[in-house]
């Protein structure tokens, strides 16, 4: 009886002091590389994220666990790495593989938080209603029409519908996985709410107003932005922030010298878009237009984030709320000759990450500490006074909020199944992909791999089982290409890049540094636990 009474009093005490616990504003951005003013971009117009960074902590070396949407988000939201979740591509559900794993918002629900999301937080199909979220967001905005589809211009809608009709007639269900997606970009003179990110921001603001009130629970409000994921459709006023002639283009457009022939893909995701060449280079003018569209989309998202943070201030809870902003992976904008995510290189695995907390001491600081998206779960738990679930495989970076220059992790780990012979969702190539205009591209990639790998070439191995495992240390990036069925075997191919002398990863120096390679392979084999 005494124990039961004590537990009841403890629960009442927690509830009585619920308002003392910080809220969490959890902002996810899809496909955003560190192309922001606060990261030194000479062109990006991102005043709201820059302002947040100037009063919080900016991470210069933050890395995803796999540079594709669903595996990356599943890893972050569970605090477990891909080898634990078993999720390596976009066409398998998290709960199908991990029915009992406790997600970050689910854990906060158990801790007495109200949790709710708007937009894309988990990947589509993993939204986890009724488990990770304690309530629904506001359903609609009075007087504002919910956007339908990515395009507002009638011509672009016509192109998309025509393309989809033709591809579905030819390839059936396979075409619905993105073989026809309409134009890659759109500039339309419309309100912010005409596109889904602007509309969802208003839903999040309306939901925030419902969350804030007397006798309320602390809240975990997640807002997920689709842009700058393709298609890059943004209101005209964000395009008008830029002069395309001033936009700097990728400086390194060749594959790494001596790099893995399977390390890069043929920009499949972008090439599904109408008006994009189905083979060969894109050309200077189109490349510039595409980066212009990416930047306009980024500025549009930045503006929405400014509105959301402003709503915190208007509600009087800005100083009681942790704000964390992250992207699920980076994106090649012609870098290494590639357009898209889905590689094991710095451009794809490095992500923007920033955090603001009410009590942090190092404001406006930056840190070069190696951190990973899988670290966000334990960090938010510690900041909110939540216990750490036993399954977590990240490290809380709360100490960096007060001392960002202290010694930290010795390595960050990512992985990706053979990008060259996978579809853009990281799933194995389908017969339809070989029948489309991608067939010749795939054939050329196979020829390059066979030329480099010689007798090691085996189609089943390279399409189904080969994975690149990459480790980023303070100075080096190591990529080990291994057969996942035989992880104890020697790697089929090794890449090593020296960021002290080659920050763009232009030359594989593995053959020149055999002793260093052995040391780094041993470090990689020791795993993430030894790097803490």
């Amino acid at each position: 009886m005494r124990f039961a009474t004590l537990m009841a009093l403890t629960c009442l005490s927690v509830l009585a002091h619920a308002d003392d616990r910080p809220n969490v504003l959890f902002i996810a951005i899809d496909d955003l590389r560190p192309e922001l003013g606060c990261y030194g971009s000479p062109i990006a117009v991102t005043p709201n994220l820059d302002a947040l960074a100037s009063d919080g902590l900016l991470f210069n070396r933050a890395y995803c666990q796999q540079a594709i949407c669903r595996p990356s988000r599943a890893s972050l939201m569970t605090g477990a790495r891909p080898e634990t979740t078993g999720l390596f591509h976009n066409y398998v559900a998290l709960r199908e593989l991990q029915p009992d794993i406790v997600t970050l918002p689910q854990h906060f629900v158990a801790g007495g938080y109200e949790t709710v999301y708007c937009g894309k937080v988990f990947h589509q199909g993993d939204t986890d209603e009724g488990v990770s979220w304690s309530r629904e967001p506001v359903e609609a905005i009075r007087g504002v029409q919910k956007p339908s589809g990515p395009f507002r211009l009638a011509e672009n809608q016509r192109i998309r519908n025509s393309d989809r009709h033709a591809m579905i007639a030819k390839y059936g269900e396979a075409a619905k996985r993105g073989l026809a997606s309409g134009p890659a970009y759109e500039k339309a003179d419309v309100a912010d709410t005409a596109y889904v990110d602007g509309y969802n921001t208003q839903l999040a603001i309306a939901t925030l107003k419902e969350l804030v009130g007397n006798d309320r629970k602390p809240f975990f409000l997640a807002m997920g932005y689709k842009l700058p994921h393709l298609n890059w459709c943004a209101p005209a006023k964000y395009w008008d922030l830029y002069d395309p002639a001033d936009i700097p283009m990728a400086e390194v457009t060749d594959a790494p010298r001596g790099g893995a022939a399977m390390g890069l893909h043929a920009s499949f995701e972008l090439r599904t878009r109408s008006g994009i060449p189905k083979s060969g280079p894109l050309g200077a003018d189109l490349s510039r237009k595409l980066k212009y569209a990416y930047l306009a989309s980024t500025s549009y998202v930045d503006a929405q984030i400014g509105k959301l943070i402003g709503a915190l201030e208007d509600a009087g809870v800005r100083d009681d709320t942790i704000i964390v902003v992250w992207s699920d992976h980076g994106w090649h904008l012609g870098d290494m000759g590639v357009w898209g995510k889905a590689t094991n290189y710095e451009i794809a695995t490095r992500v923007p990450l920033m955090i603001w907390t009410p009590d942090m001491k190092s404001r406006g600081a930056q840190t070069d500490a190696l951190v990973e998206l899988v670290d966000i779960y334990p960090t938010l738990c510690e900041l909110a006074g939540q216990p750490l679930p036993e399954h977590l495989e990240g490290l809380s970076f709360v100490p960096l909020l007060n001392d960002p220059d202290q010694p930290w992790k010795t390595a960050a780990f990512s992985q990706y199944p053979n990008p060259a012979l996978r579809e853009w969702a990281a799933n194995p190539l389908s017969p339809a992909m070989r029948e489309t205009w991608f067939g010749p591209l795939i054939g050329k990639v196979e020829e390059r791999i066979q030329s480099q790998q010689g007798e090691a070439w085996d189609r089943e191995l390279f399409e189904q089982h080969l994975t690149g495992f990459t480790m980023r240390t303070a100075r080096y990036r190591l990529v080990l290409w291994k057969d996942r069925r035989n992880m104890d075997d020697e790697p089929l191919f090794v890449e090593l890049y020296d960021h002290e002398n080659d920050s763009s990863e232009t030359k594989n120096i593995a053959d020149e540094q055999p002793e260093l390679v052995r040391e780094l392979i041993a470090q990689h084999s020791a795993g993430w636990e030894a790097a803490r």
Side-chain angles (χ1 to χ4, degrees):
M1 283 292 293
R2 284 200 304 268
F3 177 76
T5 301
L6 178 61
M7 289 300 296
L9 289 173
T10 299
C11 291
L12 288 173
S13 176
V14 168
L15 291 173
H17 293 87
D19 286 351
D20 294 336
R21 290 179 290 169
N23 308 305
V24 179
L25 178 59
F26 186 78
I27 300 176
I29 310 176
D30 207 341
D31 286 19
L32 178 67
R33 67 195 228 157
E35 191 75 37
L36 305 170
C38 52
Y39 278 103
S41 170
I43 191 69
V45 181
T46 52
N48 297 290
L49 287 170
D50 297 348
L52 182 64
S54 71
D55 196 41
L57 180 62
L58 186 74
F59 295 86
N60 289 322
R61 291 177 174 173
Y63 296 91
C64 67
Q65 274 46 77
Q66 186 172 325
I68 196 72
C69 298
R70 197 167 197 161
S72 177
R73 290 166 185 261
S75 178
L76 185 155
M77 297 296 284
T78 62
R81 297 169 189 269
E83 289 298 313
T84 297
T85 67
L87 207 159
F88 307 118
H89 62 76
N90 282 356
Y91 293 128
V92 62
L94 172 63
R95 289 300 183 189
E96 180 182 341
L97 300 176
Q98 298 293 337
D100 300 320
I101 200 165
V102 177
T103 70
L104 172 59
Q106 181 184 359
H107 188 56
F108 269 66
V109 170
Y113 273 71
E114 195 85 272
T115 68
V116 59
Y117 81 97
C118 297
K120 181 180 179 181
V121 180
F122 284 98
H123 190 71
Q124 182 180 359
D126 282 342
T127 49
D128 216 31
E129 273 84 3
V131 179
S132 288
W133 312 104
S134 64
R135 58 156 287 169
E136 296 287 330
V138 168
E139 186 175 354
I141 304 299
R142 181 177 297 178
V144 180
Q145 184 176 357
K146 182 178 180 180
S148 176
F151 302 108
R152 301 283 71 82
L153 299 180
E155 176 62 12
N156 288 337
Q157 293 173 358
R158 185 196 65 76
I159 292 171
R160 180 175 186 264
N161 292 338
S162 176
D163 288 351
R164 282 178 58 84
H165 179 78
M167 294 301 286
I168 291 173
K170 188 171 184 178
Y171 299 111
E173 287 297 314
K176 296 180 181 180
R177 292 184 172 184
L179 282 178
S181 302
Y185 54 84
E186 178 178 273
K187 175 182 179 181
D189 189 9
V190 295
D192 285 9
T193 52
Y195 293 115
V196 67
D197 282 340
Y199 183 82
N200 283 339
T201 297
Q202 294 306 311
L203 290 182
I205 290 171
T207 302
L208 171 65
K209 292 176 181 178
E210 291 189 354
L211 291 169
V212 175
N214 295 328
D215 302 321
R216 65 173 178 84
K217 293 180 179 181
F219 63 78
F220 182 108
L221 173 59
M223 174 63 216
Y225 290 97
K226 178 182 180 297
L227 289 174
H229 189 290
L230 286 165
N231 303 341
W232 297 317
C233 301
K237 63 183 177 182
Y238 299 105
W239 292 74
D240 294 341
L241 295 173
Y242 299 93
D243 181 344
D246 294 336
I247 295 175
M249 303 304 293
E251 295 180 359
V252 177
T253 57
D254 294 324
R257 298 192 303 277
M262 51 277 188
L264 295 168
H265 51 73
S267 307
F268 293 136
E269 183 180 16
L270 176 62
R271 293 187 193 274
T272 63
R273 269 62 188 180
S274 176
I276 304 298
K278 305 311 176 191
S279 63
L282 302 187
D285 290 343
L286 178 57
S287 295
R288 184 171 297 277
K289 186 75 171 186
L290 293 173
K291 187 167 183 181
Y292 183 18
Y294 185 92
L295 288 166
S297 299
T298 300
S299 292
Y300 169 53
V301 168
D302 176 82
Q304 308 319 302
I305 291 172
K307 294 176 183 180
L308 189 52
I309 294 175
L312 284 179
E313 296 171 349
D314 294 342
V317 294
R318 172 69 169 81
D319 292 336
D320 303 319
T321 303
I322 297 161
I323 304 173
V324 60
V325 179
W326 54 272
S327 173
D328 50 0
H329 42 69
W331 224 84
H332 291 252
L333 289 167
D335 311 89
M336 297 183 173
V338 167
W339 292 81
K341 53 249 188 187
T343 77
N344 281 302
Y345 299 117
E346 188 83 358
I347 290 290
T349 59
R350 180 173 172 243
V351 299
L353 174 64
M354 62 187 76
I355 190 168
W356 185 96
T357 75
D359 301 321
M360 63 192 298
K361 295 179 181 178
S362 295
R363 297 200 176 278
Q366 298 186 13
T367 179
D368 289 332
L370 291 163
V371 298
E372 302 168 278
L373 291 184
V374 76
D375 298 334
I376 291 177
Y377 192 143
T379 299
L380 292 180
C381 285
E382 183 174 349
L383 289 170
Q386 302 293 319
L388 299 184
E390 292 183 359
H391 76 271
L392 298 185
E393 296 177 339
L395 175 67
S396 168
F397 50 70
V398 167
L400 294 172
L401 303 184
N402 298 327
D403 182 8
D405 298 322
Q406 66 182 284
W408 203 244
K409 285 185 182 182
T410 58
F413 299 83
S414 307
Q415 62 190 78
Y416 201 92
N418 186 352
L421 296 178
R422 291 270 172 148
E423 297 184 15
W424 52 88
N427 53 303
L429 290 168
S430 65
M433 278 288 286
R434 289 188 178 276
E435 294 172 9
T436 65
W437 53 79
F438 293 122
L441 285 177
I442 296 166
K444 290 179 180 179
V445 168
E446 285 185 350
E447 289 176 5
R448 290 199 299 270
I449 295 174
Q450 292 172 23
S451 177
Q452 182 183 73
Q453 297 298 315
E455 293 182 358
W457 166 258
D458 174 85
R459 175 163 282 116
E460 181 184 357
L461 164 61
F462 278 78
E463 285 192 10
Q464 302 290 332
H465 308 293
L466 187 68
T467 295
F469 295 89
T470 183
M471 180 179 74
R472 177 67 155 89
T473 69
R475 179 169 179 176
Y476 297 103
R477 173 171 299 281
L478 178 75
V479 186
L480 304 176
W481 293 93
K482 306 191 75 170
D483 183 343
R484 291 194 70 258
R485 299 168 299 181
N486 303 296
M487 291 295 289
D488 292 334
D489 290 355
E490 291 294 313
L492 275 74
F493 196 82
V494 178
E495 295 178 86
L496 178 64
Y497 300 95
D498 182 355
H499 273 255
E500 187 173 293
N501 298 305
D502 181 21
S503 61
S504 297
E505 298 178 342
T506 65
K507 183 183 179 183
N508 176 17
I509 61 169
D511 289 344
E512 301 172 14
Q513 300 282 349
E515 183 58 35
L516 176 59
V517 166
R518 282 191 289 271
E519 292 175 8
L520 290 172
I521 288 177
Q523 182 179 354
H524 184 272
S525 297
W528 58 268
E529 292 175 299
R532 299 172 67 157

